[in-house]
Amino acid sequence: MYFYFIFVSMEIHIIKEIKFGNQNITVLSLINKNGCEVVLTNYGATIISILVPTDSKNKKDITLGYQNIDELLKNHHLPERYYFGSTIGRFANRIANGQFYIDKIKYQLTQNEGNNHLHGGNIGLNKIIWNYELIKNAVLFSHYSPDGFEGYPGNLSIKLLVSLSDTNEIKLEYMAHTDKTTPISLTNHIYFNLNGEEKNILNHSIKLNSDSILEVDKMNIPSGKIIKTNGTDYDLNTPKLLNDSGVIIKGGYDNCYILKKSRKDLKLAAEISVKNNPINLQVFTTEPSMQFYTSNGFDGSFTGKNKITYNKFQGLCLEAQQFPDSPNHVNFTNSMLKPGETYQQKTIYKINF
């Protein structure tokens, strides 16, 4: 992957620097000419906030998360529950029993969700303090993950370029290399709420460029079967108001949608809008699937930004990724990265307002 830079009238600010053990944590913000702002940190290569102007003086935060970086760090030693805005990996989503084979050699990953491996293990990329540098209109994060970390084979070198354009495109460009064959699937776990935090997301309409999902068991592990969604409650080919969805009535979405192929590598995957709200969201990605999650696990026990209590359906996630558990299914996408190859992934969140 080559990182291309286009000159934009954007500002980069360092908001806060914290000493954490023997490492430094930095909070930065990117602001474009329209006043759109992305706040991020090298802790977990995390997007803390996306702030959208509502008038000449005020901005609305359309993402969920911790009240501040200090609250985030207080939870550093605890098992992760929500992954707010963080970079996820080495492998996003689940791997059954934390196991897979490469050339008949069995690898055992950390089992951090029952018997299964979720989002990179106990110390995924979301709990790593990344290196970073400022490059023109972007922040370049980098991390070296050693062979055997959380059970993964190979020394893995990862880079993530985060940029903000004057057309309000938040672009995430991932690149990685390994010295041993290893599975990889990187994504970001932003929770969006175009209302801000005061309301839930049931007044959001969603359209996904997909006509099928993966069949899963009660632990969200794929069976290997692909299910067509046309004409079912899971059909999101045309915009669907979440409040009218039978899936929401049953408990909510937590499904891997297989995205339709495009002639171009980068394709429109999702569109989110709210009636009478000028802010809407489009998501473009090179990835083959997207996990759509409606924060079904929020139970009122967490207090987020502005001291808002997060309840069920407080936010939604659109996680562009490889198929979950793909190392164990020959009919799924190939998520193995080999020495000499380059892993590449690009996802764009375009904010229209």
Side-chain angles (χ1 to χ4, degrees):
M1 177 185 288
Y2 296 92
F3 294 136
Y4 294 95
F5 300 95
I6 301 174
F7 177 78
V8 294
S9 50
M10 194 192 70
E11 302 174 10
I12 300 180
H13 300 279
I14 294 178
I15 299 174
K16 190 171 186 178
E17 293 182 309
I18 302 170
K19 194 75 174 178
F20 190 70
N22 61 352
Q23 294 179 286
N24 294 317
I25 293 174
T26 304
V27 180
L28 311 101
S29 84
L30 310 176
I31 307 174
N32 69 8
K33 70 176 184 180
N34 307 312
C36 189
E37 181 176 1
V38 179
V39 181
L40 58 165
T41 175
N42 63 322
Y43 180 87
T46 297
I47 294 176
I48 296 174
S49 294
I50 299 174
L51 301 163
V52 180
T54 53
D55 55 43
S56 60
K57 296 181 180 179
N58 300 297
K59 294 182 180 182
K60 178 189 292 184
D61 191 347
I62 60 170
T63 67
L64 308 185
Y66 285 91
Q67 293 185 47
N68 50 52
I69 189 68
D70 301 295
E71 289 297 315
L72 171 60
L73 296 180
K74 284 180 184 178
N75 290 273
H76 174 75
H77 65 289
L78 299 175
E80 187 57 76
R81 293 179 64 191
Y82 303 119
Y83 302 91
F84 292 113
S86 294
T87 297
I88 302 301
R90 291 187 186 189
F91 200 91
N93 217 310
R94 294 162 178 85
I95 294 180
N97 299 310
Q99 297 175 356
F100 58 86
Y101 288 82
I102 300 176
D103 297 330
K104 297 183 179 180
I105 298 174
K106 180 181 176 180
Y107 289 90
Q108 180 64 61
L109 304 179
T110 303
Q111 294 167 303
N112 62 317
E113 188 189 51
N115 293 327
N116 303 315
H117 178 84
L118 173 66
H119 289 337
N122 289 328
I123 306 177
L125 297 179
N126 60 296
K127 284 186 175 289
I128 296 295
I129 299 173
W130 295 54
N131 297 316
Y132 80 93
E133 56 183 306
L134 307 181
I135 303 179
K136 293 188 177 180
N137 63 315
V139 179
L140 180 62
F141 295 107
S142 60
H143 174 63
Y144 172 83
S145 180
D147 183 27
F149 194 73
E150 294 289 325
Y152 287 96
N155 296 296
L156 187 70
S157 176
I158 309 168
K159 291 184 178 180
L160 167 60
L161 187 76
V162 182
S163 60
L164 172 64
S165 74
D166 278 341
T167 54
N168 310 315
E169 291 184 339
I170 303 163
K171 186 181 297 184
L172 309 182
E173 298 176 83
Y174 306 79
M175 182 171 67
H177 296 94
T178 184
D179 60 1
K180 291 182 183 178
T181 300
T182 190
I184 183 171
S185 177
L186 306 180
T187 192
N188 188 282
H189 211 291
I190 298 174
Y191 288 81
F192 288 100
N193 185 330
L194 302 186
N195 296 316
E197 295 178 293
E198 292 79 9
K199 300 179 181 179
N200 62 34
I201 54 164
L202 295 182
N203 67 343
H204 287 47
S205 292
I206 180 167
K207 179 182 179 182
L208 291 179
N209 185 27
S210 169
D211 57 14
S212 56
I213 58 175
L214 296 183
E215 180 183 70
V216 294
D217 65 17
K218 61 182 180 180
M219 292 299 294
N220 243 342
I221 297 297
S223 67
K225 183 179 179 181
I226 294 172
I227 302 173
K228 290 293 184 180
T229 58
N230 294 351
T232 72
D233 285 343
Y234 291 92
D235 189 349
L236 298 174
N237 263 301
T238 55
K240 178 173 286 187
L241 180 66
L242 290 180
N243 197 48
D244 294 340
S245 169
V247 179
I248 291 292
I249 294 171
K250 294 174 185 176
Y253 292 86
D254 192 3
N255 302 94
C256 182
Y257 279 79
I258 300 171
L259 299 174
K260 295 177 184 176
K261 293 181 180 180
S262 170
R263 292 182 181 179
K264 296 182 179 180
D265 289 337
L266 192 65
K267 53 188 173 290
L268 177 62
E271 299 176 82
I272 307 290
S273 63
V274 177
K275 188 177 181 179
N276 299 323
N277 184 340
I279 302 171
N280 62 75
L281 171 71
Q282 294 175 301
V283 185
F284 301 82
T285 188
T286 57
E287 294 304 271
S289 69
M290 177 169 284
Q291 189 78 14
F292 175 43
Y293 177 55
T294 49
S295 60
N296 316 323
F298 287 177
D299 58 7
S301 63
F302 180 86
T303 301
K305 301 172 186 176
N306 301 311
K307 299 184 179 180
I308 299 293
T309 298
Y310 290 172
N311 294 298
K312 195 172 185 176
F313 308 138
Q314 196 79 32
L316 61 86
C317 299
L318 299 162
E319 305 160 57
Q321 58 190 246
Q322 294 290 320
F323 290 8
D325 200 33
S326 56
N328 294 313
H329 298 274
V330 294
N331 62 320
F332 282 8
T333 54
N334 180 17
S335 58
M336 292 295 177
L337 177 67
K338 297 179 180 180
E341 296 179 343
T342 300
Y343 169 87
Q344 300 178 78
Q345 202 262 73
K346 183 187 294 183
T347 295
I348 296 173
Y349 303 106
K350 181 172 174 56
I351 314 296
N352 303 300
F353 61 94

